[in-house]
Amino acid sequence: MSYVKEYVQVHLTIDEEGLVVPTSIVFHKEKKYDIESVTASIRAAATKVLGSGTRYMVVIKGQEKYLFEEAGRWFVEAVILRLDFLCRWLR
C-alpha cells in the first residue's frame, strides 16, 4: 500500500492554557469528519510519508487515526488507491 501526505483543513479549539484540541478534519473543502476524541499528542515523525511535528492520535467514526501538525500546517497519511492492477485484470 502506498501513502501520500495529504494536507487538510482542521477545526480546533485552544483552551485558556494554550492546549490545542482538533475537533474536525475537512478533506478537499467538502468532506468533513468530526473528531470524537484525541487520545494522545506527541512530537513524532510520520512513518509512512516524509514529515514530522506534533502527532495527534484521534478517533474518527470509532477508528484511531494519526493527524499531524507541522509548522502550522496539518496533514494525514492518506492511502493512494492504485487502480492499474485492476485495469490489467479487467483486460
Side-chain angles (χ1 to χ4, degrees), residues 4-17:
V4 63
K5 183 189 283 191
E6 180 80 33
Y7 287 100
V8 294
Q9 179 182 0
V10 175
H11 297 170
L12 52 88
T13 60
I14 303 172
D15 71 11
E16 59 278 353
E17 295 179 11

Side-chain angles (χ1 to χ4, degrees), residues 6-80:
E6 180 80 33
Y7 287 100
V8 294
Q9 179 182 0
V10 175
H11 297 170
L12 52 88
T13 60
I14 303 172
D15 71 11
E16 59 278 353
E17 295 179 11
L19 181 66
V20 174
V21 180
T23 57
S24 64
I25 299 172
V26 181
F27 284 91
H28 307 291
K29 297 183 181 181
E30 58 187 46
K31 289 191 176 189
K32 180 181 175 187
Y33 297 94
D34 291 326
I35 295 173
E36 297 161 17
S37 65
V38 178
T39 58
S41 67
I42 61 169
R43 298 247 345 127
T47 58
K48 298 175 180 136
V49 298
L50 293 176
S52 65
T54 303
R55 182 180 73 191
Y56 294 82
M57 173 67 76
V58 299
V59 178
I60 299 172
K61 293 188 174 184
Q63 297 185 357
E64 289 187 326
K65 302 290 182 182
Y66 288 140
L67 172 64
F68 295 88
E69 185 274 324
E70 176 184 56
R73 295 182 72 190
W74 295 81
F75 71 90
V76 295
E77 298 169 316
V79 175
I80 297 174

